[in-house]
Amino acid sequence: MTLKGGDVRQERIDRGIKVRTGGIYAVSSWKEIGYLLIPRLVLIVGLLILPLAVTNLYWQRVISIVGIYALLSLSFDFLTHFVGLVSLGGAFYVGVGGYMAAILNTKLGLSPLFTIPMAALGGAAICTLFLLPCLPLRGVYFSIVTLMYPLITARIIEALNILGGTDGIVGVASFPNRWVEQYSLFGLLLLILFGLRRLVNKDIGLVFRGIKDNDQAVKASGINITHYKAAAVFISSGMGCLGGAYLVHIYMWSGISQLALDFSIIPIASTVIGGGGTLVGPVLGAFILVPISELLRAFGTLRIVFYSLILMAFIIFRSEGLMVYAQRKYHQFERWVKV
Amino acid sequence: MTSETILEVKEISKAFGGIQALSNVSFRLHQGEILGIIGPNGSGKTTLINCITGFVHTSSGKVFFKQKDITGQPPHKIAHLGVTRTFQVMRPYYSLPAYKNLIIPLFSPRARKYGGWRGGGKLGDRNTVCIDILEEIGFERDSFVPYKLASALPTGYLKRLELARCLALKPEVILCDEVFSGLSASEIASMIPLIERLQMEGITLVMIEHRLKELFRVADRVVVLNFGQKLTEGIPEAVMEDERVKEAYLGSEDLSDYV
Ligand SMILES: Nc1ncnc2c1ncn2[C@@H]1O[C@H](COP(=O)(O)OP(=O)(O)OP(=O)(O)O)[C@@H](O)[C@H]1O
Ligand SMILES: [Mg+2]
């Protein structure tokens, strides 16, 4: 690039405070503690204020749904960018978790306090079991096959008229009130977000990332990669099932619309917008994208057009994603240097 | 050398479509020796390692490790037994710092079972163990090199990192696929004592090499492959006098280029 005569290029340097607070160095001043804590606090406080701030009934429903999409986006980002499995099975996870919670609630009369964790863990086990045969598949083959799962499941439910057929399962209990619903959902979202961030930097997280970078070397290191892929799918699908269980208790109904491809596709868009591989980015992406999609309902069928245009603009102008951009600005400063 | 056989390859054949990459190759690897495998490009050396370590399924033939049939076992099981390998095309985890590359092998069941590097507790802090292994393999402990991203390391260090990944598993056998290629003469000269030390520590080595002169400084015996077949085997001096070997190498390049 030529600027002010002479060749210059942009150089990015970590801010001193980033270096001091990162890794092995001890944090020693309020400023440094603040540097580390403020972004986290903004996120936590923001999420906790949101249910209070939204008074409109319609939008109150929307922010619960956003929370579910945020879980799915987080699940997608983890599996894609830390394990290298691009799963389009989000809708399958939601469906499995949703139906399981609905059955546990309507047949066994268990309250959401029990159905939700049971559906998340049990659903994750079922999803992992079903996905085991695809684990050796790589790249786009894994994606395509996982995309088939929700489609096939919906058609089977329809054709065999099981699990309530096209009517679904009605009469699922709701949450006692929306505060319980939203605060438990957002609380879990934050817990999972911070938990995953720790996990990917632990030794086992490095094994996951190794499988993504270079699975042959992991095999040559005496590690059974199928075990680790299965564990990752369990974690990731469990988050989807958790979202599904919330969904049926919010709508008080479980049906084949829970297997709709929105649950597979929107998380991808959120991840693109928010910044893949940052974990927090896709969560923010969901909080931006899903409300936009609701606002666009006013445009009727043109909604998809506007939606696509917004997505394309993001991809063209901020292809790295919001969080990657924001983290860079926060942690580094830029300057022009002569070459 | 008349010590016992640790690894035996029995009449292995492998065809890729129409290409016969290996036909009826047999040899024995003796405990504690350094066995060179040489041959012109495309003669099946890498395929042989792939067959032994389970990365490629053999068309026929068997592989025995300590008299136990390991043919057709998956790569991670064979590595778990202590038969490790390096890759000709280096395969580090580019997005991780060099020392973090070793966390993954150290996390394996084998490393956890036989761990305890320098008595550091059950395994000590894994990060410290990583640095210890890297130092052992020639990274300067107190420099910044072990902390550099693998993607920023020069070839010489990447080759060492390949070896380090094997060492982290406390291996019995290391199959090296061209660890000298791409290195300068002085870099190789600094690797040779390392190879010798591994042998002294009781590790059995197989070394595929094109750099014959350097190989012959360390190898006890040599197996020669040509078009997927074993031409001959023996001590380096004898093998190099063999007319068929000279011919095989003259077919592509002059033997004097190598020696
Ligand atoms: N996965 C594969 N699919 C098809 N053909 C293969 C495959 N791997 C190896 N081959 C073929 O098998 C033959 C032997 O290849 P191999 O890589 O074992 O040779 P090599 O002795 O290691 O050669 P080099 O010295 O160049 O590394 C070659 O003709 C090669 O093209
Ligand atoms: Mg080769």
Side-chain angles (χ1 to χ4, degrees):
Chain A
M1 186 184 281
T2 319
L3 201 97
K4 298 176 204 135
D7 285 335
V8 293
R9 75 186 160 81
Q10 202 174 27
E11 187 181 60
R12 298 202 177 97
I13 299 170
D14 280 357
R15 292 182 199 280
I17 194 164
K18 147 95 173 141
V19 178
R20 285 199 301 280
T21 53
I24 49 180
Y25 299 94
V27 179
S28 60
S29 73
W30 284 109
K31 199 175 162 210
E32 287 170 3
I33 294 171
Y35 179 82
L36 286 178
L37 281 186
I38 284 169
R40 291 164 175 79
L41 281 179
V42 167
L43 180 74
I44 294 170
V45 172
L47 272 183
L48 295 184
I49 285 180
L50 203 58
L52 290 169
V54 176
T55 47
N56 176 305
L57 267 179
Y58 173 73
W59 285 99
Q60 283 174 359
R61 172 57 51 84
V62 172
I63 60 168
S64 299
I65 305 303
V66 172
I68 290 164
Y69 275 113
L71 272 177
L72 286 168
S73 310
L74 194 53
S75 136
F76 177 80
D77 193 29
F78 168 65
L79 207 53
T80 303
H81 292 105
F82 294 92
V83 195
L85 294 171
V86 182
S87 158
L88 298 181
F92 182 65
Y93 312 151
V94 170
V96 170
Y99 273 104
M100 199 154 166
I103 292 167
L104 288 172
N105 179 249
T106 54
K107 297 282 188 300
L108 301 182
L110 297 175
S111 85
L113 185 63
F114 296 104
T115 62
I116 289 176
M118 285 166 78
L121 295 177
I126 291 173
C127 292
T128 311
L129 212 60
F130 273 97
L131 284 174
L132 275 185
C134 328
L135 291 183
L137 296 178
R138 290 191 193 203
V140 73
Y141 300 101
F142 181 80
S143 312
I144 298 282
V145 175
T146 49
L147 183 63
M148 297 300 152
Y149 279 86
L151 299 175
I152 292 172
T153 313
R155 295 295 88 77
I156 290 176
I157 291 174
E158 233 170 39
L160 302 183
N161 203 19
I162 47 172
L163 301 172
T166 44
D167 295 334
I169 301 172
V170 292
V172 179
S174 70
F175 290 94
N177 56 54
R178 83 174 172 94
W179 305 112
V180 174
E181 170 188 316
Q182 290 174 344
Y183 278 110
S184 65
L185 177 57
F186 287 0
L188 282 170
L189 178 62
L190 285 171
L191 267 180
I192 293 172
L193 172 63
F194 288 117
L196 277 183
R197 275 177 44 146
R198 290 198 75 156
L199 179 81
V200 297
N201 287 312
K202 278 187 166 327
D203 290 353
I204 184 173
L206 295 187
V207 176
F208 286 141
R209 287 154 69 179
I211 291 172
K212 179 190 173 238
D213 269 13
N214 181 347
D215 57 348
Q216 303 284 356
V218 181
K219 287 185 197 169
S221 303
I223 289 177
N224 185 347
I225 62 170
T226 309
H227 285 174
Y228 285 89
K229 283 185 180 176
V233 166
F234 183 89
I235 295 171
S236 175
S237 62
M239 291 156 66
C241 293
L242 177 66
Y246 262 92
L247 201 67
V248 299
H249 283 296
I250 291 172
Y251 282 129
M252 299 159 68
W253 171 78
S254 155
I256 47 179
S257 62
Q258 258 118 46
L259 292 154
L261 285 190
D262 289 17
F263 295 116
S264 293
I265 305 299
I266 290 182
I268 304 177
S270 311
T271 304
V272 168
I273 285 187
T278 59
L279 295 177
V280 65
V283 171
L284 292 184
F287 273 87
I288 293 168
L289 211 55
V290 179
I292 289 182
S293 141
E294 289 300 321
L295 284 174
L296 291 174
R297 276 188 198 283
F299 293 100
T301 41
L302 276 181
R303 169 176 172 234
I304 295 296
V305 175
F306 286 107
Y307 195 69
S308 310
L309 284 177
I310 292 173
L311 258 182
M312 281 158 67
F314 258 109
I315 292 170
I316 293 167
F317 297 112
R318 274 282 159 266
S319 54
E320 56 194 353
L322 287 176
M323 249 352 259
V324 179
Y325 176 77
Q327 284 177 348
R328 202 178 65 224
K329 290 284 172 197
Y330 192 69
H331 292 311
Q332 299 178 317
F333 60 85
E334 289 161 352
R335 66 178 183 200
W336 293 95
V337 288
K338 276 215 158 67
V339 245
Chain B
M1 262 202 194
T2 49
S3 56
E4 58 187 290
T5 303
I6 184 163
L7 191 87
E8 184 178 4
V9 170
K10 231 178 187 169
E11 291 169 3
I12 275 192
S13 296
K14 175 69 195 175
F16 293 106
I19 304 168
Q20 193 69 36
L22 289 175
S23 31
N24 274 321
V25 175
S26 306
F27 68 87
R28 284 161 183 269
L29 179 66
H30 302 147
Q31 174 88 50
E33 76 173 336
I34 296 182
L35 176 70
I37 297 184
I38 64 171
N41 288 111
S43 53
K45 305 181 296 296
T46 299
T47 307
L48 183 58
I49 285 201
N50 282 339
C51 287
I52 295 172
T53 51
F55 280 85
V56 152
H57 286 286
T58 52
S59 307
S60 67
K62 296 225 169 285
V63 182
F64 297 91
F65 175 63
K66 295 185 170 171
Q67 277 82 49
K68 198 172 143 257
D69 186 356
I70 57 166
T71 324
Q73 294 218 21
H76 70 265
K77 288 220 172 121
I78 294 174
H80 184 73
L81 293 173
V83 181
T84 60
R85 66 164 304 171
T86 71
F87 292 96
Q88 180 174 356
V89 180
M90 294 156 290
R91 294 178 181 277
Y93 309 104
Y94 284 109
S95 63
L96 298 178
Y99 79 105
K100 287 280 186 192
N101 269 258
L102 296 183
I103 294 279
I104 292 161
L106 285 176
F107 200 75
S108 68
R110 179 176 175 88
R112 285 198 263 187
K113 194 165 154 196
Y114 299 105
W117 285 84
R118 301 211 176 114
K122 194 146 184 271
L123 231 178
D125 174 20
R126 275 205 192 89
N127 290 330
T128 324
V129 180
C130 291
I131 303 281
D132 287 350
I133 298 173
L134 283 183
E135 184 182 28
E136 194 165 322
I137 206 80
F139 280 64
E140 298 78 9
R141 185 184 193 97
D142 296 318
S143 73
F144 53 88
V145 186
Y147 303 95
K148 266 184 148 176
L149 282 185
S151 55
L153 288 179
T155 315
Y157 283 108
L158 288 179
K159 295 278 183 186
R160 289 168 195 265
L161 197 53
E162 284 282 318
L163 273 177
R165 191 187 58 229
C166 298
L167 284 185
L169 291 177
K170 288 262 176 181
E172 302 213 26
V173 177
I174 304 180
L175 303 152
C176 307
D177 199 348
E178 301 197 12
V179 283
F180 290 164
S181 67
L183 300 188
S184 68
S186 66
E187 280 175 317
I188 296 178
S190 69
M191 287 276 272
I192 284 179
L194 204 114
I195 302 281
E196 285 168 341
R197 206 177 63 229
L198 295 182
Q199 183 183 25
M200 291 208 313
E201 284 171 11
I203 298 173
T204 311
L205 289 132
V206 171
M207 297 186 68
I208 293 184
E209 275 309 330
H210 281 300
R211 311 283 287 254
L212 303 189
K213 194 166 85 187
E214 286 88 352
L215 176 67
F216 292 166
R217 282 182 53 193
V218 288
D220 299 308
R221 288 188 309 135
V222 183
V223 168
V224 188
L225 290 182
N226 194 25
F227 293 114
Q229 286 171 327
K230 189 169 91 173
L231 268 189
T232 181
E233 71 171 86
I235 59 167
E237 296 77 17
V239 162
M240 290 328 289
E241 289 307 311
D242 194 309
E243 284 305 318
R244 290 167 304 170
V245 178
K246 284 182 180 165
E247 202 174 307
Y249 268 89
L250 282 170
S252 50
E253 286 140 283
D254 198 310
L255 198 56
S256 56
D257 287 350
Y258 293 99
V259 180

